[in-house]
Amino acid sequence: MKQFQIKGMSCAACSSRVEKAVSQVPGVESCTVSLLTNSMRVEGNVSAQEIIAAVEIAGYSASERGAAGSEAGEVAVAPDTSMLEDKETPLMNRRLIASIVFLLMLMYFSMGVTMWSWPLPGTLEGNHVAMGLLQLLLTGIIMVINQKFFVNGFRGLIHRAPNMDTLVALGAGAAFVYSTYALFAMTAAQTAGDDMGVMEYMHEMYFESAGMILTLITVGKMLEARSKGRTTDALRSLMELAPQKAVIIREETEVEVPVEDVRKGDIFIVKPGESIPVDGVIEEGISAVNEAALTGESIPVDKGPGDKVSAATVNQSGFLRCEATRVGEDTTLAQIIRMVEDAAATKAPAARAADKVSAVFVPVVIAIALVTFIAWMIAGETVGFSLARSISVLVISCPCALGLATPVAIMVANGKGAGNGILFKTAAALEETGKAAVVVLDKTGTVTRGEPEVTDVIPADGYTKEELLKLAYSLEVKSEHPLAKAVAAAAEKNSIQAEEVSEFISLPGNGISAKQGDAVLTGGSIKFADSQFDVPDTVKEQAEKLSEEGKTAMLFGKDRQFSGMIAVADMVKSDSAEAVKQLKNMGIEVIMLTGDNHKTAEAVGRLAGIDRVIAEVLPDGKEQVIRRLCRKGKVVMVGDGINDAPALTRADIGIAIGAGTDVAIEAADVVLMNSSMEDVPAAVRLSRAALRNIHQNLFWAFIYNVIGIPLAAGVWIHLLGWQLNPMFAAAAMSLSSFCVVTNALRLNLLDIRNPAHDSKRKIRTEEKQMKKTMNIEGMMCMHCEARVKKCLEAIPGVEGAEVSHEAGTAVVSMTDEVPDEVLIKTVEDQDYKVTDVINNHRPE
């Protein structure tokens, strides 16, 4: 993928022209042009020179944006903020100031004198020709100051790609040329002594209109440039977070170097209050690190040896010695910046209609202007009047507003999301997330914390909690099992020391055993424990209750005597229940999808407030479940593990928890940097606000032109007496783009974590579902049930099958019509006999 900076674009017609020209280059697979950032992204097997040549042929200029990689041993590269530097606003300010100075002089001589009798130098008093020449000179100066309109406009016309500058150039140029003709005609009349002719032609001069049009359009361009500059503030702020210096260890000496000189594997140190220069792993030291720059979370995170740290985060308290693991464009900060850039460079689906209109907009407007001029001439009006209507049509039409309606909202929303730890990889992802009808949540690491922890310590008679924990810790300390680690963490938290054990062995049936002196310690599942020592019935009942709560009970004994029970669970995140509640309040169905057993999954679902749980699903089965759910509407899948990657890819929108695996993050469309479940409804909320803003912008951009063009053409003059002066038409055009951009900037005021204004959308989540009951002979056990269930659910169109060997039936739920013959053959291929198939009507 190659990225380019484009110069010379002024409106949506320009970006559409460039996109079309580059797309026609052999080898180009896709091309996206952003008018907002004046950038282009090209994918395909084609050289940069060919792409640049195509852009130049289209009438614009391009330069390739350098992209430095950083593999092992390569140096770091600081993010480049130059592409976001607002170079346009200062230039527009200078043009505008110069234009206003000469416009004021022009207005004094053209309107001040004639309308309000302002004083004139004696040499000009009563000399209409001299006044006309002075206006010609002042207008010419304004035209030279704003020559960019004419250069770009007529160049576009020559390349058969007219743009907004073409409309301005034609409008101002027509006014200037006709006024010049009127000036010469007035001179001839004055020479001939025709005073009536002098007065007639004097009122036919529109020099002030030409000057005012150019100045007002420049005002609009300046406001637009300033507002567009603000839309990239969030991204620019991210880039500016990158530290410029780093202190590394070379030959046992601390050396301060530019961050560009840091290499993968270098040892660097960070003192309290300093920013961490590159991504790394802590080798020595303990500190609280503020990660707000990346996650939006203001509470510092405690870090110690072995923990990862990221560039641009701030070391707040302790001294840290770290090894650099990611530098340059591999750092987390650089990846965030790249995601935001890429999202801004892509096109949202909502922009397609505007692009289609923009592609033909300018030629259509020029045609309307010509028709307007001819129609008024045929109606018997003067050339001056007809020309004024035609010029008004040219200068009021604004393709810029159409072209900016979507990208400015996308850029602002992306910046808002990035500042809060929510990264949308594409504009389409930002738009589609808010349309979710179903949100599917993975259990481990998404709804739950992903790390088991001790929840209950129940000692037997004769033991205290501390003694039971000490026995369990001594036995589990040599085990690598996650549950063993949970016991170790609980013991260490209570300052309990493990005693030395020997002859540690892992036994079949989920159990372990070891010797502590002459005593034999055993521990494991209730089934294993029951084979090693007597387990009281009350303990078995307690274990069953714990299991129903989603907890895993481990029983421990010493010398074949029961010592106590410890329960371990992967606890539900503190914000999961609130996140689920917010999603439901938005009218979204929430489903939990997990490979865990039904009992544990149901318990976790209850704690999180999730009504529907799909359990015991293998990784490939998750993808099939998502495929079926997609028939209900837009499906968002939220996950963090490698086994979630297929489901994340299959879903309409995949959301990866930031603390998850790189595979999951790569497969997802949205990344949550701080792993908070509440960021899921926040992402939906931001998407909905952005989409609403885009629709508002597109509405006003379209309606502005729909109302403005007929008004400028003079359609309402005879009906309502409404007549639009070309100067007011130029003012309206100059404000249209500014209003669109300003509306998009309102997204910065949105509190994406505030559910107060959430509204339920009427999303159709029900699907056409049919049921058939199959009577089957030959099923003898649960294995037969599973076999029939699996083969039936593999049929396209079958959502699920409820199979009972006792009743000898299979109730098949379908979203598409599946012929009875297919169902019968599928089951009988498994060596069972189908005696009947009954169609069931779904109750309304």
Side-chain angles (χ1 to χ4, degrees), residues 440-468:
V440 181
L441 305 172
D442 175 51
K443 181 180 79 71
T444 306
T446 303
V447 177
T448 64
R449 296 174 185 170
E451 295 181 359
E453 59 183 79
V454 172
T455 58
D456 300 88
V457 180
I458 306 170
D461 292 339
Y463 282 87
T464 64
K465 288 186 177 183
E466 289 73 19
E467 289 172 337
L468 176 58

Side-chain angles (χ1 to χ4, degrees), residues 407-426:
V408 290
I410 294 295
M411 176 62 86
V412 175
N414 262 303
K416 183 74 175 179
N420 286 274
I422 302 171
L423 304 177
F424 296 90
K425 289 186 178 180
T426 63

Side-chain angles (χ1 to χ4, degrees), residues 42 55 106 115 129 159 167 212 315 346 423 428 458 466 512 543 569 585 588 608 636 643-644 648 678 775 780 809 842:
V42 181
V55 174
L106 175 62
M115 295 180 67
V129 173
H159 285 92
L167 298 179
M212 183 68 80
N315 175 22
T346 57
L423 304 177
I458 306 170
E466 289 73 19
I512 53 177
N585 287 340
I588 297 172
V636 171
N643 62 346
D644 295 322
L648 289 170
E678 284 194 78
N775 294 321
M780 305 297 293
T809 60
R842 182 184 176 191

Side-chain angles (χ1 to χ4, degrees), residues 562-753:
F562 174 64
S563 302
M565 177 168 59
I566 295 177
V568 175
D570 183 7
M571 298 299 292
V572 173
K573 289 180 181 177
S574 58
D575 61 352
S576 290
E578 177 60 26
V580 171
K581 179 182 176 183
Q582 290 183 22
L583 289 170
K584 287 181 176 180
N585 287 340
M586 291 177 175
I588 297 172
E589 181 183 1
V590 182
I591 299 171
M592 190 174 75
L593 183 62
T594 178
D596 214 337
N597 64 74
H598 280 284
K599 191 174 288 186
T600 301
E602 290 288 350
V604 171
R606 282 196 300 273
L607 291 172
I610 300 171
D611 298 326
R612 185 178 176 188
V613 174
I614 303 174
E616 297 182 6
V617 182
L618 297 175
D620 59 340
K622 288 186 178 182
E623 191 268 347
Q624 293 175 11
V625 171
I626 295 296
R627 187 194 299 268
R628 289 199 298 268
L629 289 172
C630 283
R631 301 190 186 109
K632 292 189 171 187
K634 296 287 182 183
V635 173
V636 171
M637 171 70 194
V638 186
D640 73 323
I642 292 175
N643 62 346
D644 295 322
L648 289 170
T649 305
R650 169 57 59 185
D652 295 295
I653 295 294
I655 299 181
I657 295 293
T661 65
D662 289 342
V663 176
I665 293 172
E666 186 66 28
D669 303 291
V670 185
V671 178
L672 308 182
M673 293 301 297
N674 62 1
S675 303
S676 170
M677 265 288 290
E678 284 194 78
D679 279 353
V680 177
V684 174
R685 200 171 289 121
L686 177 58
S687 171
R688 288 184 176 182
L691 189 59
R692 189 163 55 246
N693 194 280
I694 289 170
H695 288 161
Q696 290 168 355
N697 286 345
L698 288 173
F699 172 79
W700 287 115
F702 276 112
I703 206 70
Y704 162 82
N705 285 292
V706 168
I707 294 174
I709 291 175
L711 176 63
V715 171
W716 311 113
I717 289 178
H718 294 308
L719 291 175
L720 302 172
W722 293 351
Q723 182 174 320
L724 190 64
N725 186 289
M727 289 186 285
F728 291 112
M733 180 186 186
S734 68
L735 290 174
S736 60
S737 297
F738 172 70
C739 292
V740 164
V741 177
T742 304
N743 185 52
L745 290 172
R746 291 191 307 111
L747 287 170
N748 284 319
L749 304 176
L750 176 70
D751 183 357
I752 64 173
R753 292 189 171 86

